């Protein structure tokens, strides 16, 4: 769960009780048009707008003459399509020149809500719940989530060669990257570290808050499941590089199955929030603003899932997880970590009965 059930029960109760809610700028859209313009449903938008409005009152906003509803309307439209609709701006009484400041303000507010709406399991029951759902899904026990770098395209000037190269990722385009952890249902549990696209996953992990917490045993004897770009450690579970038998092959298949959840999660985010397909120009000094947009969309993703908002009507092919950026000299693997992974393989994947049938799901996800 991305955030506590009592909070959602309170939210649903409050929404149901708002039978005489004040009119908003979203009322000018019928439900179908609302979804096409914002890729969200009316109850979901109402909740988001209320949450932003409360927080905007505490900020010294430069958009004081623009009401919170109109600011959210402009920002949500941008998130959904990557551009601001001229017609919508006209309705809000704004111009394209006003968009960057509105987007910056709303993104900062939403990113500031990440502590409330993006939560890594902290307590014993929550950890066991996340881990048991992952084990039921793929057979791997004691895992608190799937770890991966998420790449988002940006533009960088090729004339500034050093800066351009720093943003160049393994697929050959310029990007910024954030470290994400999700659960088996696609809820985002952690997002941090907006970095240049060339950064090694391993460096991102060990310099991140969540990486330091896990490696310092703050979260106990649990794993996160990471791809080949990470080193096998006491708390990062990677696939077997060269499987030598059937049980290691079955373990790798289970590992791939749960990694595909992250791939699908990132795909659904980019379909719903097309701004993530291209975040515009970037330099080292603009990473905080890019980070706020990414965190804002992660918050909105979790909120949309809690409100069971369907995907947008037009969706593309799911973008693959990026090939890992491998070091020329492999890191030394800790023997205790190898032993722990082998114990999982021997205990959970020794028999063919333990393997999961993923053929139907793979076909569906790759369609």
């Amino acid at each position: 769960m991305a955030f506590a059930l009592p909070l959602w029960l309170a939210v649903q109760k409050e929404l149901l009780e708002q039978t005489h809610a004040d009119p908003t700028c979203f009322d000018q859209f019928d439900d179908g048009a609302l979804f096409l313009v914002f890729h969200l449903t009316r109850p979901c938008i109402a909740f988001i707008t209320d949450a932003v409005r409360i927080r905007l009152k505490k900020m010294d906003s430069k958009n004081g003459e623009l009401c919170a509803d109109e600011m959210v309307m402009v920002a949500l439209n941008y998130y959904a399509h990557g551009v601001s609709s001229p017609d919508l701006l006209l309705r809000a009484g704004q111009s394209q020149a006003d968009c960057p400041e509105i987007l910056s303000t709303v993104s900062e507010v939403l990113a500031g809500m990440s502590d409330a709406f993006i939560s890594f399991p902290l307590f014993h029951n929550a950890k066991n719940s996340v881990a048991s759902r992952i084990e039921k899904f793929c057979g791997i026990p004691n895992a608190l989530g799937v770890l991966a770098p998420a790449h988002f395209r940006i533009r960088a000037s090729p004339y500034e060669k050093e800066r351009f190269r720093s943003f160049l990722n393994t697929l050959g385009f310029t990007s910024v990257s954030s470290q994400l952890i999700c659960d088996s249902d696609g809820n985002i549990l952690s997002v941090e570290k907006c970095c240049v696209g060339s950064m090694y996953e391993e460096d991102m992990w060990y310099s991140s808050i969540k990486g330091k917490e896990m490696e310092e045993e703050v979260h106990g004897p649990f794993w996160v499941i990471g791809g080949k770009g990470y080193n096998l450690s006491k708390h990062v579970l990677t696939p077997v590089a060269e499987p030598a038998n059937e049980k290691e092959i079955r373990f790798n298949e289970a590992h791939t199955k749960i990694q595909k959840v992250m791939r699908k999660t990132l795909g659904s985010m980019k379909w719903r929030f097309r701004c993530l397909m291209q975040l515009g120009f970037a330099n080292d000094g603009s990473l905080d603003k890019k980070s706020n947009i990414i965190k804002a969309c992660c918050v909105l993703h979790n909120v949309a899932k809690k409100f069971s908002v369907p995907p947008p009507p037009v969706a593309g092919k799911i973008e693959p997880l990026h090939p890992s950026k491998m070091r020329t000299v492999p890191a030394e693997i800790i023997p205790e970590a190898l032993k722990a992974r082998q114990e999982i393989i021997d205990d959970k994947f020794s028999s063919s009965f333990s393997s999961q049938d993923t053929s139907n799901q793979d076909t569906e996800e790759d369609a």
Side-chain angles (χ1 to χ4, degrees):
M1 298 290 288
F3 36 117
L5 181 59
L7 170 63
W8 281 105
L9 292 175
V11 168
Q12 296 291 351
K13 182 175 183 293
E14 181 180 350
L15 286 174
L16 289 172
E17 289 175 349
Q18 290 178 351
T19 53
H20 301 290
D22 294 333
T24 74
C25 57
F26 294 101
D27 294 340
Q28 59 192 294
F29 301 94
D30 62 33
D31 288 348
L34 194 78
F35 190 78
L36 287 173
V37 174
F38 305 106
H39 295 168
L40 297 168
T41 56
R42 195 175 302 278
C44 184
I45 290 172
F47 174 73
I48 294 163
T49 306
D50 287 344
V52 171
R53 186 187 299 113
I54 291 168
R55 287 161 176 81
L56 276 175
K57 290 179 180 178
K58 302 176 182 179
M59 294 178 62
D60 182 20
S61 174
K62 295 179 182 179
N63 297 282
E65 296 181 0
L66 191 62
C67 76
D69 294 26
E70 291 170 333
M71 292 177 67
V72 172
M73 182 173 72
V74 171
L76 291 183
N77 176 242
Y78 176 84
Y79 297 144
H81 299 280
V83 294
S84 297
S85 162
D87 177 64
L88 185 139
L89 287 171
L90 185 63
R91 296 186 191 201
Q94 300 299 302
S95 67
Q96 289 289 348
D98 300 312
C99 289
E101 185 60 37
I102 294 172
L103 180 63
S104 177
T105 300
V106 176
S107 296
E108 183 181 350
V109 171
L110 288 168
M113 293 161 54
S114 60
D115 287 346
F117 297 100
I118 300 174
S119 60
F120 197 73
L122 298 178
F123 301 106
H124 182 73
N125 288 345
K127 290 176 183 177
N128 285 339
S129 176
V130 171
S132 65
R133 290 176 72 87
I134 290 176
E135 183 171 4
K136 184 178 180 180
F137 180 79
C138 68
I140 297 175
N142 302 324
L144 293 182
V146 189
L147 171 69
H151 283 262
F152 306 97
R153 290 177 184 265
I154 55 95
R155 296 186 179 95
S157 172
Y159 299 105
E160 301 177 67
K161 293 183 179 180
E162 288 303 317
R163 179 174 292 171
F164 182 83
R165 278 197 290 266
S166 72
F167 284 105
L168 205 61
N169 63 32
T170 51
L171 288 182
F173 61 83
T174 50
S175 69
V176 292
S177 179
S178 290
Q179 176 181 285
L180 264 64
I181 300 174
C182 76
D183 65 13
S184 57
D185 296 316
N187 296 300
I188 296 171
L189 305 179
S190 174
V191 55
E192 56 178 307
K193 302 292 292 182
C194 187
C195 308
V196 294
S198 64
M199 190 170 187
Y200 288 97
E201 293 100 298
E202 187 72 8
D203 291 343
M204 198 184 306
W205 169 249
Y206 280 113
S207 63
S208 71
I209 295 171
K210 206 55 62 188
K212 291 174 182 177
E213 289 177 354
M214 291 290 290
E215 297 302 331
E216 291 171 3
E217 304 276 353
V218 170
H219 297 285
F222 289 94
W223 306 86
V224 288
I225 300 171
K228 296 178 181 178
Y230 298 94
N231 294 332
L232 176 66
S233 70
K234 290 194 298 181
H235 296 288
V236 178
L237 184 63
T238 60
V240 177
E242 297 180 3
N245 50 54
E246 287 296 320
K247 59 186 177 183
E248 290 182 352
I249 292 172
R250 284 192 286 271
F251 169 77
N252 277 8
E253 289 172 347
H255 196 285
T256 298
K257 181 178 181 179
I258 191 67
Q259 284 280 313
K260 285 183 177 179
V261 174
M262 175 62 84
R263 178 187 172 194
K264 188 174 182 180
T265 299
L266 289 173
S268 67
M269 274 183 58
K270 291 181 179 181
W271 291 342
R272 191 181 303 282
F273 308 115
R274 304 292 172 83
C275 69
L276 296 177
M277 299 285 195
Q278 176 53 258
L279 286 174
F281 284 95
N283 54 53
D284 297 339
S286 70
L287 292 187
D288 285 346
K289 288 187 177 181
K290 304 303 181 191
S291 178
N292 279 345
I293 293 175
I294 294 165
K295 283 186 177 180
C297 290
C298 289
V299 167
L300 295 174
H301 167 83
N302 278 359
V303 173
K305 283 186 66 64
K306 293 303 178 184
F307 279 88
S308 301
V309 181
V314 178
K317 187 176 178 63
I318 297 176
E319 180 178 309
L321 293 178
H322 281 243
S324 302
K325 186 177 181 182
M326 308 301 291
R327 298 186 186 276
T328 53
V329 180
E332 184 177 349
I333 298 178
I334 302 171
E336 290 84 352
L338 272 173
K339 181 181 177 182
R341 183 176 67 183
Q342 193 59 49
E343 287 175 352
I344 289 177
I345 293 171
D346 293 340
D347 183 42
K348 298 292 183 179
F349 298 95
S350 289
S351 68
S352 59
F353 179 77
S354 66
S355 64
Q356 302 280 334
D357 180 9
T358 62
S359 58
N360 291 336
Q361 178 180 331
D362 293 350
T363 301
E364 180 182 343
E365 289 182 354
D366 293 334

